[in-house]
Amino acid sequence: MARTKKPTTPASPRAKLTSAIKGARDVMRKDAGLNGDLDRIPQLAWLLFLKAFDGMEQNRKVVERNFRAAIESPYRWRDWAADPNGRTGEALIDFVNTGLLPHLRSLVGTGAHDPRDVLAAVFKETNNRMLSGYLLRDVVNKVNDIDFASSDDIHTMAHLYESMLREMRDAAGDSGEFYTPRPVIRFMVQQVDPKLGEKVLDPAAGTGGFLVETLEHLAPRVQTTVQRRALHEGLRGVEKKPLPYLLGMMNLVLHGVPQPNIIRGNALAQPITSIGKSSRVDVILTNPPFGGEEEKSIQANFPAGMQTAETAWLFIQLVIRQLKDGGRCAIVVPNGVLYADGVGARIKQQLMTECDLHTVVRLPNGVFAPYTIIPSNLLFFTKTGRTKETWFYEIPAPGGRKNYSKTKPLGFEEFAGCQAWWGDRVENERAWRVPVADVEANDFNLDLKNPNREDDLAHRPPEELLAELVATEQSILDQLSTLGSRVEEHTEVGGGSRLSLSIPSAGTTRLVALGDVMHLVSDVVVVEPTGSYPNVGVYSFGRGLFEKQPLDGAATSAKTLNRIRTGQFIYSRLFAFEGAYAYVPSQFDGFCVSAEFPTFESDARELDAEWLACMLRSPDHWNALGLSSKGLGLRRQRVPVEAVLAFKIELPPLDEQRRLLGVVRRIDELRERRAQASRLVDALSLAVLTRS
């Protein structure tokens, strides 16, 4: 008896689409003109684009009364590609290379995002890379099997296309290109929450990830054709490189945007002062390139004193300018943006003066792995005037891991804690806030350690410790690279060379007594028996201030105390001979000291008190001051105020003091990171022994 054959289950649309795309890519692997996915995916992209565009044109012809085709015969997909037995071999290659592509590049529209202008822009730098016309015909036939007439098929194709973009990202990662993970994009879009009717811009659009995510975020709210058209027109992008531009256009087309509003060009090429109100937008979502350098002509588009070759800094200035008043932004930045000084500090000052930098989300290590292990952050701000305070939130890595990887990437669910915290903010082990005065006092350094979380190294697994050690060492290298911009190379006698930090030449300094540039101040507080007074001391060896137990008014013999203020200079008369000099940072504003701690204010036009405190870390300086001490015994050698005011130093100009102070801060950060690396090494060795 013959066995009854079971009926085959029809393949799902997704399976059919996957099969068609896989078949096309398998065919392309045989062509000598294509080398890897960096060639194959763009080739497939423009063929898919033309197939999808032709489907949309046919739909428009049905519903639009005055429809005019953007592509006319014989260049429509249905004319040259739809017949599986049509042109092939040399005839097909010749038609595509000398007819089709030149025609598409030459199209001229009437403006207002005419499809002809879109096509001309897309195909301006698009070329056919296949050499075999027979293989090209096979690929065309595979693409022709995809039906873009169905909205379900278009939606499915869009998701498959995004998987191709991830592969494109993987391939491009080998060339220094990498793109924003989808969970990061989704989190940024949801927290900024674009509204229908708002203009949303990505000035470094890449393959269109932020624009597509915004589209999907808003699509459920669309109720009318007018709203849908406004949504599509409100999505705007600029992309410098031709390949991401083509992929971004295709991405939006497949997501139902018939005329994507992405400009092929450099968003930084326009003088920033020429960006008027009519060009400004409600929302900017972007991950601008970082680590790159722009040429002098691009830098000249920015104000003097704010010019730099680093692309990330230029994009931050552009974003500030291009936002409307009240506009919102989320931007990805590397760690270097947080701690940079010089031009970077000035740009951060502009940001925090013109905008409310309300949130910094610190991403875990490896979010962009394997393309870079540079730690990254998300800045959220609104253009509503000066920042008052900035909240920081650390996204923890899951499952005890310290690093993400290509095989274990970041998931969107890992932002759930931050999203729950966002609307009702309280400090916890992941979140803390910093007043803007503290940021200003620290030269706009935003690379701040979480004060609410202890770093318990003793109970962490070796793999986690090793991952953090690698990230810490990379951070140290980044810091050294930043310092490298402040290092000069000097040729020695004999042809050798040495590296030294740039210091002011003798001609730029002048010898002054400290009394010429600062004066003694006293804000007297009368001690009450029932009062309690916050109290500080001064560490020896230039280590700054430390908080002491509050003074109990009933327990102290002091009748008066002196209240100190942010920005003042202070020293311990008793321990000045061993470097007990300090600058008063904002966290000690309003604390009290006894008469043993003389306090000074500097002439703000001449002297930076923090720079002076750094100078007096030098044993040469404190030893010289110690010669003027009075009293008996090693620990009773008080240095009088008169000696400090009479002490002479080489004083560079104020801007040079601040530059050198920035170098010292970077070195201090290096010291802290080195100490952390040392602690990690010790903990790692113990963890390995314990595990074994």
Side-chain angles (χ1 to χ4, degrees):
M1 181 175 173
R3 184 175 296 175
T4 304
K5 199 171 185 178
K6 291 183 179 180
T8 57
T9 303
S12 68
R14 183 183 183 89
K16 290 172 61 179
L17 289 168
T18 302
S19 176
I21 290 175
K22 181 182 182 301
R25 294 175 71 179
D26 287 343
V27 171
M28 287 191 289
R29 287 187 175 90
K30 303 173 186 177
D31 192 277
L34 303 176
N35 297 306
D37 278 341
L38 282 174
D39 284 342
R40 287 191 290 267
I41 292 178
Q43 178 80 17
L44 183 56
W46 70 259
L47 290 169
L48 286 166
F49 185 100
L50 288 179
K51 167 68 173 170
F53 190 87
D54 191 54
M56 288 187 293
E57 289 269 271
Q58 293 185 66
N59 289 338
R60 287 180 59 205
K61 184 177 181 180
V62 173
V63 299
E64 294 181 20
R65 178 174 298 178
N66 298 317
F67 170 75
R68 176 192 168 192
I71 304 177
E72 297 180 349
S73 178
Y75 301 110
R76 300 172 302 180
W77 179 270
R78 73 198 84 149
D79 297 322
W80 66 272
D83 183 357
N85 298 312
R87 289 189 187 91
T88 189
E90 289 298 321
L92 179 58
I93 291 289
D94 183 64
F95 170 78
V96 169
N97 291 345
T98 64
L100 175 66
L101 295 179
H103 172 75
L104 296 174
R105 295 183 196 117
S106 68
L107 291 173
V108 178
T110 57
H113 312 303
D114 187 301
R116 284 169 286 277
D117 294 322
V118 172
L119 288 162
V122 167
F123 286 92
K124 180 180 180 181
E125 295 168 294
T126 297
N127 294 294
N128 168 50
R129 303 184 183 210
M130 295 188 70
L131 300 180
S132 168
Y134 298 102
L135 292 175
L136 177 57
R137 166 48 65 185
D138 289 343
V139 173
V140 167
N141 288 347
K142 296 287 186 184
V143 171
N144 199 52
D145 288 339
I146 301 172
D147 182 9
F148 286 105
S150 163
S151 60
D152 289 339
D153 281 354
I154 290 176
H155 184 73
T156 303
M157 180 62 216
H159 285 284
L160 289 175
Y161 188 71
E162 286 176 9
S163 70
M164 290 169 56
L165 292 185
R166 284 195 294 274
E167 294 181 44
M168 184 73 219
R169 175 199 67 191
D170 294 347
D174 296 332
S175 304
E177 298 270 346
F178 52 91
Y179 301 97
T180 318
R182 185 67 177 270
V184 174
I185 293 175
R186 183 173 300 168
F187 172 72
M188 293 168 68
V189 170
Q190 289 190 6
Q191 300 319 116
V192 171
D193 191 21
K195 303 292 192 298
L196 283 176
E198 290 186 326
K199 296 174 182 176
V200 180
L201 170 69
D202 183 352
T207 56
F210 283 103
L211 300 179
V212 167
E213 188 62 38
T214 300
L215 178 71
E216 295 195 343
H217 179 71
L218 291 174
R221 309 178 197 180
V222 172
Q223 296 181 342
T224 67
T225 303
V226 172
Q227 287 179 333
R228 180 174 291 104
R229 185 180 300 115
L231 170 58
H232 292 172
E233 292 177 353
L235 299 175
R236 305 182 177 191
V238 182
E239 174 50 43
K240 179 179 180 180
K241 296 183 178 180
L243 177 55
Y245 172 76
L246 167 64
L247 298 174
M249 294 289 283
M250 179 66 188
N251 202 7
L252 283 165
V253 166
L254 282 173
H255 280 85
V257 181
Q259 299 168 26
N261 190 4
I262 303 179
I263 296 171
R264 165 78 169 87
N266 187 349
L268 305 173
Q270 181 181 5
I272 195 168
T273 55
S274 69
I275 299 174
K277 291 185 178 180
S278 62
S279 301
R280 295 177 187 172
V281 298
D282 303 282
V283 173
I284 295 179
L285 294 154
T286 190
N287 178 10
F290 50 84
E293 292 193 358
E294 289 289 348
E295 59 192 47
K296 291 288 186 182
S297 62
I298 296 296
Q299 297 177 45
N301 291 327
F302 295 82
M306 309 285 267
Q307 295 178 3
T308 172
E310 167 58 60
T311 49
W313 290 119
L314 300 179
F315 271 99
I316 289 173
Q317 294 180 73
L318 174 72
V319 166
I320 296 170
R321 178 76 179 189
Q322 203 145 20
L323 275 180
K324 289 180 178 178
D325 290 342
R328 314 183 300 288
C329 175
I331 182 171
V332 183
V333 298
N335 239 29
V337 164
L338 298 194
Y339 59 71
D341 55 8
V343 173
R346 290 194 290 274
I347 295 171
K348 284 183 285 187
Q349 181 178 14
Q350 178 196 1
L351 170 62
M352 300 184 78
T353 300
E354 297 185 26
C355 302
D356 177 14
L357 177 61
H358 55 81
T359 311
V360 176
V361 175
R362 310 212 66 173
L363 297 176
N365 293 326
V367 168
F368 289 94
Y371 319 109
T372 179
I373 61 170
I374 296 173
S376 300
N377 308 268
L378 311 178
L379 306 186
F380 293 85
F381 54 89
T382 57
K383 196 171 181 181
T384 53
R386 185 174 184 268
T387 302
K388 294 181 176 62
E389 64 180 13
T390 298
W391 281 90
F392 291 78
Y393 191 99
E394 288 182 332
I395 302 293
R401 284 188 290 133
K402 202 64 183 178
N403 257 317
Y404 291 96
S405 65
K406 183 176 177 180
T407 56
K408 294 181 178 179
L410 175 78
F412 179 67
E413 66 278 2
E414 292 162 51
F415 289 103
C418 185
Q419 289 187 310
W421 163 88
W422 195 275
D424 187 16
R425 302 185 174 198
V426 294
E427 292 203 23
N428 56 45
E429 66 174 1
R430 295 293 174 191
W432 70 102
R433 59 180 167 183
V434 179
V436 71
D438 290 8
V439 178
E440 292 171 343
N442 199 22
D443 197 24
F444 292 91
N445 178 21
L446 293 167
D447 189 19
L448 304 175
K449 186 177 180 180
N450 182 350
N452 301 328
R453 178 171 57 86
E454 292 185 4
D455 196 2
D456 181 12
L457 302 181
H459 301 95
R460 288 162 58 183
E463 297 82 4
E464 182 179 320
L465 292 167
L466 181 60
E468 182 170 355
L469 180 59
V470 170
T472 300
E473 291 291 348
Q474 180 62 47
S475 177
I476 290 170
L477 291 174
D478 292 342
Q479 291 274 35
L480 287 171
S481 177
T482 301
L483 275 175
S485 65
R486 294 161 165 64
V487 174
E488 295 178 343
E489 186 169 353
H490 304 279
T491 302
E492 294 182 316
V493 177
S497 65
R498 60 186 176 85
L499 294 176
S500 66
L501 286 174
S502 174
I503 59 173
S505 64
T508 65
T509 64
R510 58 193 178 92
L511 188 67
V512 301
L514 288 178
D516 294 336
V517 290
M518 70 180 192
H519 59 278
L520 186 69
V521 294
S522 181
D523 182 2
V524 176
V525 176
V526 177
V527 176
E528 301 288 346
T530 56
S532 178
Y533 303 91
N535 188 22
V536 298
V538 182
Y539 279 121
S540 296
F541 313 114
R543 293 179 295 149
L545 299 183
F546 64 94
E547 186 172 354
K548 301 169 71 174
Q549 286 293 325
L551 282 173
D552 185 341
T556 181
S557 60
K559 301 300 182 184
T560 62
L561 297 170
N562 184 31
R563 183 182 287 112
I564 61 176
R565 294 298 183 189
T566 302
Q568 292 176 340
F569 175 78
I570 187 173
Y571 80 101
S572 167
R573 293 198 301 164
L574 185 58
F575 297 107
F577 76 95
E578 60 182 20
Y581 300 90
Y583 167 83
V584 180
S586 61
Q587 65 262 38
F588 294 122
D589 185 66
F591 277 60
C592 295
V593 294
S594 73
E596 288 290 352
F597 299 91
T599 308
F600 305 83
E601 286 188 353
S602 63
D603 182 345
R605 300 166 300 177
E606 299 281 347
L607 176 66
D608 187 307
E610 188 176 2
W611 173 84
L612 176 62
C614 286
M615 282 286 292
L616 292 177
R617 292 181 186 178
S618 164
D620 290 343
H621 287 122
W622 79 57
N623 287 336
L625 276 162
L627 295 175
S628 62
S629 63
K630 297 178 180 180
L632 299 174
L634 180 62
R635 311 297 286 181
R636 308 298 297 174
Q637 300 178 9
R638 286 178 170 82
V639 173
V641 168
E642 297 78 19
V644 172
L645 292 175
F647 189 69
K648 292 185 177 181
I649 61 169
E650 290 285 347
L651 186 70
L654 189 61
D655 59 348
E656 182 65 11
Q657 294 174 41
R658 289 172 177 165
R659 187 190 71 81
L660 292 171
L661 183 58
V663 174
V664 171
R665 285 176 179 153
R666 300 289 79 78
I667 295 171
D668 287 345
E669 290 169 8
L670 275 173
R671 183 184 296 109
E672 183 178 337
R673 292 175 192 274
R674 269 291 172 212
Q676 173 68 359
S678 179
R679 292 192 294 271
L680 285 165
V681 169
D682 292 341
L684 179 61
S685 63
L686 290 173
V688 169
L689 290 171
T690 303
R691 177 68 64 87
S692 62

